[in-house]
Amino acid sequence: MMGPELGAQSYLQLQGSIPLLNEDIVTGQGCKDGIEYSLKIGFDRFFRWNLNDVESGVRAFLKMMGVENVDEWLAFEFFFLKLEHLLAHGYLTGQCAEDPPFLKVSGENIDTLVEPASPTVVQKSYLVENIGKGKLPWSVQYSDDAAISVSPSNGELAENESAYVVVEVDTGQLQKGVYRNKLLFENGFRKAEGLRFGSLGSTFREVEIKVVQQPDVAPTITGFEDRGDGFGLIEWNFDASSLDVEMRGYEIYLQVDGDPVWTIKRTVYGIDTVSTIMSGLPKGKNACFRMQAYGEYSTRTPNSAEHCVQLSGGELT
């Protein structure tokens, strides 16, 4: 609850989720006023819901709020129940506090592809900042193995202070496949206070490194037939066993009359040896083709050798 402007609607939401008050720290300007106002609205509405037996209503309300010694709070008659006493009851309303330290983390997930047994060390820097109030103890939790290191993995930041965290993964320690880890940048203030609601900046980053052999065998274009009936037929061959990953398909690139730009003319999916009809080719031009095969994780073969032909005068559609 943040201030009296939340009104009765906030109380109605609050009534269904009392642990928010029991187990979290309420912060921000107007904290105490917000608690008082919501409780006043709540008592008023709760008593009206129980007009036939007001004392039972008050007892039910206090029990719902977590009060154990209800009789002591009732003080013989519910009319003497004082709101100040409720506010002083720590586990009933939480506590008003200064704005807490808040952890800001800058830096994206780690997602890359490397060769098996490569000497590559994947490195990523993250900036951690305290953009809240007071001292911020922080730490980075992760699955500690032979490949990953985090430095530093913990520390303390004063208000407006920042520090860099360097994450390294020695890919020479990884087997073929996909390596995954997760970095939890944790606000230690949140953990020390036992807060379950509101992260105060605690956040995750994913680590995913794909270890696959990049192919070194290219497709071979075996020919192009100008069929004279409005179509051209390009043919090629490729040994898919040269891919260390699942075969996905091919991309055919076109260059016309020495233009330095190669454009993707056609994408063909998931066939080892294939021929395909090309359409929309320019008439009377010199056309050159080349190809790549591709597989999982954005793996790509080298380009095929260029295959150039003089197109016929007729329009190839």
Side-chain angles (χ1 to χ4, degrees):
M1 299 175 298
M2 304 295 279
E5 67 274 8
L6 296 184
Q9 182 179 0
S10 294
Y11 173 75
L12 294 177
Q13 294 173 349
L14 180 65
Q15 187 189 35
S17 56
I18 295 305
L20 285 172
L21 283 183
N22 294 347
E23 302 184 36
D24 214 343
I25 287 183
V26 184
T27 61
Q29 189 173 3
C31 167
K32 185 173 180 180
D33 288 343
I35 291 176
E36 290 184 4
Y37 191 80
S38 293
L39 284 174
K40 287 177 181 177
I41 292 292
F43 283 134
D44 179 60
R45 288 176 174 267
F46 197 95
F47 295 160
R48 289 181 186 177
W49 295 337
N50 296 274
L51 289 179
N52 293 332
D53 188 348
V54 176
E55 182 174 342
S56 294
V58 176
R59 286 179 178 276
F61 180 83
L62 292 175
K63 185 176 181 180
M64 178 187 67
M65 293 291 282
V67 176
E68 295 178 0
N69 299 318
V70 173
D71 289 334
E72 293 181 13
W73 287 99
L74 285 174
F76 304 108
E77 290 189 26
F78 78 94
F79 297 103
F80 296 99
L81 177 66
K82 292 184 179 296
L83 182 59
E84 293 90 327
H85 294 167
L86 285 174
L87 291 173
H89 191 61
Y91 70 81
L92 174 61
T93 60
Q95 56 181 302
C96 293
E98 296 298 325
D99 289 340
F102 191 94
L103 177 64
K104 178 183 177 182
V105 180
S106 301
E108 301 302 319
N109 293 333
I110 296 174
D111 185 0
T112 190
L113 184 148
V114 298
E115 297 273 341
S118 72
T120 302
V121 175
V122 176
Q123 187 180 84
K124 183 77 173 180
S125 292
Y126 295 92
L127 181 66
V128 294
E129 302 173 77
N130 179 8
I131 61 173
K133 304 289 185 181
K135 293 182 178 180
L136 167 61
W138 62 271
S139 63
V140 184
Q141 311 297 326
Y142 58 98
S143 178
D144 192 7
D145 54 37
I148 195 168
S149 65
V150 178
S151 180
S153 60
N154 59 77
E156 185 174 87
L157 298 173
E159 185 177 333
N160 296 321
E161 190 178 8
S162 63
Y164 280 99
V165 174
V166 178
V167 178
E168 293 185 342
V169 182
D170 180 1
T171 65
Q173 305 296 319
L174 305 181
Q175 302 298 316
K176 285 185 180 181
V178 182
Y179 169 84
R180 292 185 176 91
N181 214 318
K182 181 176 286 188
L183 307 169
L184 167 59
F185 293 84
E186 188 165 32
N187 184 328
F189 174 86
R190 169 183 178 271
K191 187 175 182 180
E193 297 294 336
L195 305 183
R196 299 193 307 173
F197 301 94
S199 70
L200 296 183
S202 296
T203 187
F204 288 97
R205 292 294 187 273
E206 302 287 344
V207 178
E208 183 170 290
I209 298 178
K210 307 167 189 72
V211 184
V212 295
Q213 187 72 50
Q214 290 281 45
D216 57 5
V217 177
T220 300
I221 296 178
T222 58
F224 178 88
E225 178 185 354
D226 184 348
R227 299 178 59 173
D229 57 357
F231 294 96
L233 181 69
I234 189 170
E235 298 177 326
W236 71 89
N237 204 321
F238 178 67
D239 179 6
S241 66
S242 67
L243 284 175
D244 192 35
V245 294
E246 180 185 338
M247 179 70 185
R248 292 295 172 87
Y250 306 90
E251 287 178 342
I252 305 171
Y253 296 83
L254 170 66
Q255 181 190 62
V256 178
D257 278 352
D259 187 330
V261 177
W262 289 84
T263 58
I264 294 179
K265 183 59 183 174
R266 183 77 183 272
T267 301
V268 182
Y269 299 101
I271 308 171
D272 295 343
T273 304
V274 74
S275 61
T276 188
I277 297 294
M278 300 288 291
S279 63
L281 298 176
K283 64 181 179 180
K285 302 286 187 179
N286 185 64
C288 293
F289 301 93
R290 69 184 186 193
M291 302 181 61
Q292 279 187 323
Y294 63 92
E296 297 174 280
Y297 315 133
S298 300
T299 55
R300 299 268 171 175
T301 68
N303 287 315
S304 69
E306 295 177 17
H307 184 87
C308 300
V309 295
Q310 182 69 33
L311 300 176
S312 70
E315 183 77 49
L316 293 176
T317 58

Short mmCIF file of all heavy atoms in Angstrom, two decimals, residues 23-25 100-103 135-138 184-204:
data_model
loop_
_atom_site.label_atom_id
_atom_site.label_comp_id
_atom_site.label_asym_id
_atom_site.label_seq_id
_atom_site.Cartn_x
_atom_site.Cartn_y
_atom_site.Cartn_z
N GLU A 23 4.56 -10.38 5.74
CA GLU A 23 5.90 -10.86 5.47
C GLU A 23 6.72 -9.94 4.58
O GLU A 23 7.82 -10.28 4.19
CB GLU A 23 5.81 -12.24 4.82
CG GLU A 23 5.07 -13.24 5.70
CD GLU A 23 5.08 -14.61 5.07
OE1 GLU A 23 6.08 -14.96 4.46
OE2 GLU A 23 4.09 -15.32 5.22
N ASP A 24 6.22 -8.78 4.26
CA ASP A 24 7.00 -7.86 3.44
C ASP A 24 7.17 -6.55 4.18
O ASP A 24 6.47 -6.27 5.14
CB ASP A 24 6.31 -7.61 2.09
CG ASP A 24 7.33 -7.42 0.99
OD1 ASP A 24 8.51 -7.17 1.32
OD2 ASP A 24 6.96 -7.54 -0.18
N ILE A 25 8.11 -5.76 3.75
CA ILE A 25 8.31 -4.45 4.35
C ILE A 25 7.67 -3.42 3.43
O ILE A 25 7.94 -3.37 2.24
CB ILE A 25 9.80 -4.15 4.53
CG1 ILE A 25 10.34 -4.98 5.69
CG2 ILE A 25 10.03 -2.68 4.80
CD1 ILE A 25 11.80 -4.73 6.00
N PRO A 100 14.37 1.07 0.33
CA PRO A 100 15.43 0.07 0.48
C PRO A 100 16.48 0.20 -0.61
O PRO A 100 16.26 0.87 -1.63
CB PRO A 100 14.67 -1.25 0.33
CG PRO A 100 13.55 -0.89 -0.60
CD PRO A 100 13.15 0.51 -0.23
N PRO A 101 17.63 -0.43 -0.46
CA PRO A 101 18.59 -0.49 -1.56
C PRO A 101 18.00 -1.29 -2.71
O PRO A 101 17.31 -2.28 -2.50
CB PRO A 101 19.80 -1.19 -0.95
CG PRO A 101 19.26 -1.95 0.22
CD PRO A 101 18.10 -1.15 0.73
N PHE A 102 18.25 -0.84 -3.93
CA PHE A 102 17.66 -1.49 -5.10
C PHE A 102 18.79 -1.83 -6.07
O PHE A 102 19.62 -1.00 -6.41
CB PHE A 102 16.65 -0.57 -5.78
CG PHE A 102 15.82 -1.27 -6.83
CD1 PHE A 102 14.58 -1.82 -6.50
CD2 PHE A 102 16.27 -1.40 -8.13
CE1 PHE A 102 13.82 -2.47 -7.45
CE2 PHE A 102 15.52 -2.06 -9.09
CZ PHE A 102 14.29 -2.59 -8.74
N LEU A 103 18.80 -3.09 -6.51
CA LEU A 103 19.87 -3.60 -7.38
C LEU A 103 19.48 -3.46 -8.85
O LEU A 103 18.46 -4.02 -9.29
CB LEU A 103 20.13 -5.07 -7.06
CG LEU A 103 21.18 -5.79 -7.92
CD1 LEU A 103 22.56 -5.18 -7.73
CD2 LEU A 103 21.20 -7.28 -7.58
N LYS A 135 22.95 0.80 2.26
CA LYS A 135 23.94 -0.14 1.77
C LYS A 135 23.27 -1.36 1.14
O LYS A 135 22.28 -1.87 1.65
CB LYS A 135 24.86 -0.58 2.90
CG LYS A 135 25.75 0.53 3.43
CD LYS A 135 26.67 0.01 4.52
CE LYS A 135 27.60 1.12 5.03
NZ LYS A 135 28.51 0.62 6.10
N LEU A 136 23.87 -1.81 0.04
CA LEU A 136 23.30 -2.95 -0.70
C LEU A 136 24.31 -4.10 -0.74
O LEU A 136 25.28 -4.07 -1.50
CB LEU A 136 22.96 -2.53 -2.13
CG LEU A 136 22.65 -3.66 -3.12
CD1 LEU A 136 21.44 -4.46 -2.66
CD2 LEU A 136 22.42 -3.12 -4.52
N PRO A 137 24.12 -5.13 0.09
CA PRO A 137 24.91 -6.36 -0.09
C PRO A 137 24.34 -7.14 -1.27
O PRO A 137 23.13 -7.28 -1.40
CB PRO A 137 24.70 -7.10 1.23
CG PRO A 137 23.39 -6.60 1.75
CD PRO A 137 23.21 -5.20 1.24
N TRP A 138 25.20 -7.65 -2.14
CA TRP A 138 24.73 -8.38 -3.32
C TRP A 138 25.60 -9.61 -3.53
O TRP A 138 26.72 -9.71 -3.02
CB TRP A 138 24.77 -7.49 -4.57
CG TRP A 138 26.16 -7.02 -4.91
CD1 TRP A 138 26.78 -5.88 -4.47
CD2 TRP A 138 27.12 -7.68 -5.75
NE1 TRP A 138 28.05 -5.79 -4.96
CE2 TRP A 138 28.29 -6.88 -5.75
CE3 TRP A 138 27.10 -8.87 -6.47
CZ2 TRP A 138 29.42 -7.24 -6.47
CZ3 TRP A 138 28.24 -9.22 -7.19
CH2 TRP A 138 29.38 -8.42 -7.18
N LEU A 184 22.01 -15.73 -10.96
CA LEU A 184 21.05 -14.99 -10.15
C LEU A 184 21.79 -13.85 -9.46
O LEU A 184 22.62 -14.07 -8.58
CB LEU A 184 20.39 -15.88 -9.11
CG LEU A 184 19.60 -15.14 -8.00
CD1 LEU A 184 18.48 -14.29 -8.60
CD2 LEU A 184 19.05 -16.12 -6.98
N PHE A 185 21.52 -12.63 -9.90
CA PHE A 185 22.04 -11.44 -9.23
C PHE A 185 21.05 -11.12 -8.10
O PHE A 185 19.91 -10.72 -8.37
CB PHE A 185 22.15 -10.27 -10.20
CG PHE A 185 23.20 -10.47 -11.26
CD1 PHE A 185 22.92 -11.18 -12.41
CD2 PHE A 185 24.48 -9.94 -11.09
CE1 PHE A 185 23.89 -11.36 -13.39
CE2 PHE A 185 25.45 -10.12 -12.06
CZ PHE A 185 25.16 -10.84 -13.21
N GLU A 186 21.49 -11.31 -6.87
CA GLU A 186 20.56 -11.24 -5.74
C GLU A 186 20.84 -10.05 -4.84
O GLU A 186 21.99 -9.78 -4.47
CB GLU A 186 20.63 -12.53 -4.92
CG GLU A 186 19.56 -12.61 -3.85
CD GLU A 186 19.41 -14.01 -3.30
OE1 GLU A 186 20.40 -14.74 -3.25
OE2 GLU A 186 18.29 -14.37 -2.92
N ASN A 187 19.76 -9.33 -4.50
CA ASN A 187 19.81 -8.23 -3.55
C ASN A 187 19.87 -8.83 -2.14
O ASN A 187 18.91 -9.43 -1.67
CB ASN A 187 18.57 -7.35 -3.71
CG ASN A 187 18.59 -6.13 -2.82
OD1 ASN A 187 19.13 -6.13 -1.72
ND2 ASN A 187 17.98 -5.05 -3.31
N GLY A 188 21.00 -8.69 -1.46
CA GLY A 188 21.17 -9.30 -0.15
C GLY A 188 20.28 -8.70 0.92
O GLY A 188 19.93 -9.37 1.90
N PHE A 189 19.87 -7.44 0.75
CA PHE A 189 18.94 -6.82 1.70
C PHE A 189 17.62 -7.56 1.68
O PHE A 189 17.05 -7.88 2.72
CB PHE A 189 18.72 -5.35 1.33
CG PHE A 189 17.68 -4.65 2.15
CD1 PHE A 189 18.00 -4.07 3.36
CD2 PHE A 189 16.36 -4.57 1.69
CE1 PHE A 189 17.04 -3.44 4.12
CE2 PHE A 189 15.39 -3.93 2.44
CZ PHE A 189 15.73 -3.36 3.66
N ARG A 190 17.16 -7.88 0.49
CA ARG A 190 15.90 -8.64 0.35
C ARG A 190 16.02 -9.98 1.05
O ARG A 190 15.12 -10.41 1.77
CB ARG A 190 15.60 -8.83 -1.13
CG ARG A 190 14.48 -9.80 -1.45
CD ARG A 190 14.36 -9.95 -2.96
NE ARG A 190 13.33 -10.90 -3.31
CZ ARG A 190 13.53 -12.20 -3.44
NH1 ARG A 190 14.73 -12.70 -3.23
NH2 ARG A 190 12.55 -13.00 -3.78
N LYS A 191 17.15 -10.66 0.85
CA LYS A 191 17.34 -11.98 1.44
C LYS A 191 17.44 -11.89 2.96
O LYS A 191 16.86 -12.70 3.69
CB LYS A 191 18.60 -12.62 0.86
CG LYS A 191 18.82 -14.06 1.28
CD LYS A 191 20.03 -14.65 0.55
CE LYS A 191 20.22 -16.11 0.91
NZ LYS A 191 21.38 -16.70 0.20
N ALA A 192 18.18 -10.88 3.47
CA ALA A 192 18.37 -10.74 4.91
C ALA A 192 17.05 -10.44 5.63
O ALA A 192 16.82 -10.89 6.75
CB ALA A 192 19.37 -9.63 5.20
N GLU A 193 16.17 -9.71 4.96
CA GLU A 193 14.89 -9.37 5.56
C GLU A 193 13.85 -10.47 5.38
O GLU A 193 12.74 -10.37 5.89
CB GLU A 193 14.35 -8.05 4.96
CG GLU A 193 15.23 -6.84 5.24
CD GLU A 193 15.24 -6.50 6.72
OE1 GLU A 193 14.27 -6.86 7.42
OE2 GLU A 193 16.22 -5.87 7.17
N GLY A 194 14.19 -11.51 4.63
CA GLY A 194 13.26 -12.61 4.41
C GLY A 194 12.07 -12.24 3.57
O GLY A 194 10.98 -12.77 3.72
N LEU A 195 12.26 -11.29 2.65
CA LEU A 195 11.14 -10.81 1.83
C LEU A 195 10.85 -11.80 0.71
O LEU A 195 11.74 -12.22 -0.02
CB LEU A 195 11.46 -9.45 1.24
CG LEU A 195 11.86 -8.37 2.24
CD1 LEU A 195 12.08 -7.05 1.54
CD2 LEU A 195 10.78 -8.22 3.31
N ARG A 196 9.60 -12.16 0.58
CA ARG A 196 9.20 -13.07 -0.49
C ARG A 196 8.51 -12.33 -1.63
O ARG A 196 8.32 -12.87 -2.70
CB ARG A 196 8.25 -14.14 0.06
CG ARG A 196 8.88 -15.00 1.13
CD ARG A 196 8.04 -16.22 1.41
NE ARG A 196 6.67 -15.87 1.71
CZ ARG A 196 5.70 -16.75 1.86
NH1 ARG A 196 5.95 -18.04 1.72
NH2 ARG A 196 4.47 -16.37 2.17
N PHE A 197 8.11 -11.09 -1.38
CA PHE A 197 7.37 -10.33 -2.40
C PHE A 197 8.19 -9.10 -2.76
O PHE A 197 8.63 -8.36 -1.89
CB PHE A 197 6.00 -9.91 -1.88
CG PHE A 197 5.15 -11.07 -1.46
CD1 PHE A 197 5.13 -11.49 -0.15
CD2 PHE A 197 4.41 -11.77 -2.40
CE1 PHE A 197 4.34 -12.56 0.24
CE2 PHE A 197 3.64 -12.85 -2.03
CZ PHE A 197 3.60 -13.25 -0.71
N GLY A 198 8.37 -8.87 -4.03
CA GLY A 198 9.15 -7.73 -4.48
C GLY A 198 10.62 -8.10 -4.54
O GLY A 198 11.23 -8.43 -3.55
N SER A 199 11.20 -8.04 -5.72
CA SER A 199 12.56 -8.53 -5.90
C SER A 199 13.60 -7.51 -5.45
O SER A 199 14.74 -7.87 -5.18
CB SER A 199 12.79 -8.86 -7.37
OG SER A 199 12.83 -7.69 -8.14
N LEU A 200 13.25 -6.22 -5.38
CA LEU A 200 14.20 -5.15 -5.10
C LEU A 200 15.39 -5.23 -6.06
O LEU A 200 16.52 -4.89 -5.71
CB LEU A 200 14.69 -5.19 -3.65
CG LEU A 200 13.61 -4.95 -2.58
CD1 LEU A 200 14.24 -4.93 -1.19
CD2 LEU A 200 12.88 -3.64 -2.83
N GLY A 201 15.11 -5.69 -7.28
CA GLY A 201 16.13 -5.72 -8.31
C GLY A 201 16.79 -7.07 -8.53
O GLY A 201 17.55 -7.23 -9.47
N SER A 202 16.54 -8.05 -7.65
CA SER A 202 17.12 -9.39 -7.87
C SER A 202 16.65 -9.91 -9.23
O SER A 202 15.47 -9.83 -9.56
CB SER A 202 16.69 -10.34 -6.76
OG SER A 202 17.20 -9.92 -5.51
N THR A 203 17.58 -10.44 -10.03
CA THR A 203 17.21 -10.80 -11.39
C THR A 203 18.12 -11.89 -11.94
O THR A 203 19.21 -12.13 -11.41
CB THR A 203 17.28 -9.56 -12.31
OG1 THR A 203 16.77 -9.89 -13.59
CG2 THR A 203 18.72 -9.06 -12.46
N PHE A 204 17.68 -12.56 -13.01
CA PHE A 204 18.41 -13.66 -13.63
C PHE A 204 19.03 -13.24 -14.96
O PHE A 204 18.52 -12.35 -15.65
CB PHE A 204 17.47 -14.84 -13.92
CG PHE A 204 17.03 -15.59 -12.69
CD1 PHE A 204 15.81 -15.32 -12.09
CD2 PHE A 204 17.84 -16.57 -12.14
CE1 PHE A 204 15.40 -16.01 -10.97
CE2 PHE A 204 17.44 -17.27 -11.02
CZ PHE A 204 16.22 -16.99 -10.43
#
